[in-house]
Amino acid sequence: CYRYVCERAAHTFMAVHPGEPIIAVGVDHNLLILEVEKPKQIIKKQIPSLKKVLQREVVRVTDKGEIVKSIAFCCFGEKLVTVGEDNGITIWEFPSMVRRWRINQHLSEVTQVTGHSMGEPEIVTATRGSECFVWDVETAAQTQQLKYNGIAGVKYRFRNIKYGAYGKTFYAVVLPVAWTKSALCHVLKYDTENWSVSCETYLRGEPLAELAVSPDDSLIATASSNGHVYIYDSYSLGLRRTIRDAHGLFITGLTFMRTIDSDQFKLLSISADHECKIHNPHIADPIRFLKALVIALLIIGFLYISFLLLNSFDMLPHIDDFDDNVDASDHHHHAHNEL
């Protein structure tokens, strides 16, 4: 457990360096770069601490004081991307923090940015409007625009976006711009080779906000504003588990983490209720298990009753046998009369 306190500013978003123990934290319109030191042996526990990497405590990343909304590392951590309320994208060389590109092509506030998980020079951004673009960070060129055509006449926006663990898939939470209680919130899976939707599912009446992808790309998790957590199979987007009332208030963060000295991983969630919880994503939903058990028992019961009925019909004399017996009886009676 570790903590770093920086003034009385809002810590908006965080990104973890893919190869180094470095954390980038958005603090209002600035960027705080921290490094996790090597664990120290204290009372037989590995306790990491934080220190500043750069000589400067913070780096100003927006021009007019707008708040940083999202941060992402890319290109194996050689570049850092920041987006915010100024509708723009800033690409920095890391760790020198020299500005490489400034992109101003969005029409509204940029709320999300995610970097390619396998180090490719590619990022995806999403805005508070309906824009979602794929960018080449080496040339600052837009290479793709993602759109979702759901219900006719309904305008959608990309609420959260994430690359899959190996970069071959891309996941997005999409919901209507004008939200209603009966609206559908969609979870989409893209194939990054042609950027087509390969699979999708939806949830009615609950706006999903957070999105996390497991380290082995086998599971994805989403969280709703009602404090519920939903875990899906990443291959088919089939619902594997629902954690009702995981938190008392809306969930503000969701991520998978590996356990120490194990290939297993847990799901970590944080909320406005000031609680941090760890969930086991591999446990099946008990309600879904009970439903499946009841259905299985009903099927077995139906098959057993059908078997008994078939056996009872087999024990009855067949019509053909009855006719043969009648014919034999008539023939014997006729022969007796002739005698």
Side-chain angles (χ1 to χ4, degrees), residues 10-13 25-31 59-62 65-71 81-86 109-111:
H11 292 48
T12 51
F13 284 88
V25 182
V27 184
D28 286 344
H29 56 276
N30 296 319
L31 188 66
V59 180
R60 191 178 184 88
V61 295
T62 57
E66 293 86 351
I67 294 176
V68 177
K69 284 293 185 177
S70 188
I71 310 166
V81 185
T82 60
V83 299
E85 292 179 336
D86 56 359
E109 173 187 329
V110 187
T111 57

Side-chain angles (χ1 to χ4, degrees), residues 148 151 156 172-176 179-188 200-210 221-232 237 239 241-244 288:
Y148 178 68
I151 302 174
Y156 294 88
V173 172
V174 180
L175 68 163
W179 180 260
T180 62
K181 292 183 178 180
S182 60
L184 300 179
C185 185
H186 298 263
V187 181
L188 309 178
E200 69 175 288
T201 186
Y202 66 87
L203 189 68
R204 183 181 296 275
E206 288 190 52
L208 299 174
E210 299 303 319
T222 61
S224 73
S225 59
N226 298 330
H228 309 320
V229 174
Y230 301 92
I231 301 173
Y232 298 89
L237 294 186
L239 183 62
R241 186 184 181 193
T242 301
I243 306 175
R244 292 283 178 183
R288 292 172 61 85

